[in-house]
Amino acid sequence: QVQLVESGGGLVQAGGSLRLSCAASGRTFSGYSMGWFRQAPGKEREFVAGISGSGSTYDADSVKGRFSISRDNTKNTVYLQMSNLKPEDTAVYYCATRLYSTWSSAVWSYAYWGQGTQVTVSS
């Protein structure tokens, strides 16, 4: 069993930045791929960024060049650094793990999820 605890969400003005954190516990963190997803009101959950167990990163086209995923295995934590935020980035952001080393963008392939953290970008 893996527990994921997220933090860092909040209200920010367009063009601003936020850093989301997701702390993992319950199993060894290193070696597992992680993903960030988001869900806006009335829309399905969508992939934002992923990082493999080996550290390779992947970004959705909608956030490429603005968001950056990283991990610190010494702290069992994955981060999502968000910059140049836009109102359309407003959503609940979730972190998740597949308990596997390779990366996937498919929501259904992730077994464990955090509680979600709200990000609101004002115009």
Side-chain angles (χ1 to χ4, degrees):
Q1 187 71 32
V2 173
Q3 296 81 45
L4 304 174
V5 180
E6 302 172 348
S7 61
L11 176 65
V12 64
Q13 294 183 346
S17 300
L18 282 175
R19 188 197 197 199
L20 306 183
S21 299
C22 176
S25 63
R27 290 196 184 188
T28 301
F29 176 76
S30 61
Y32 294 146
S33 62
M34 302 290 294
W36 283 99
F37 298 79
R38 66 186 182 186
Q39 188 166 19
K43 303 187 69 175
E44 295 185 358
R45 193 168 300 182
E46 65 175 351
F47 169 77
V48 175
I51 185 167
S52 72
S54 63
S56 299
T57 60
Y58 308 87
D59 303 317
D61 289 341
S62 60
V63 305
K64 193 165 295 182
R66 300 188 298 118
F67 292 8
S68 178
I69 188 172
S70 62
R71 66 194 301 160
D72 185 344
N73 289 336
T74 66
K75 299 179 179 179
N76 290 341
T77 301
V78 63
Y79 304 95
L80 184 67
Q81 179 66 51
M82 305 183 293
S83 61
N84 296 320
L85 284 162
K86 307 175 185 297
E88 52 263 42
D89 295 319
T90 295
V92 177
Y93 284 72
Y94 301 88
C95 69
T97 181
R98 285 162 38 86
L99 299 182
Y100 196 68
S101 62
T102 56
W103 169 87
S104 174
S105 64
V107 171
W108 59 263
S109 70
Y110 286 79
Y112 297 95
W113 295 82
Q115 79 284 359
T117 184
Q118 177 71 47
V119 172
T120 302
V121 184
S122 62
S123 60

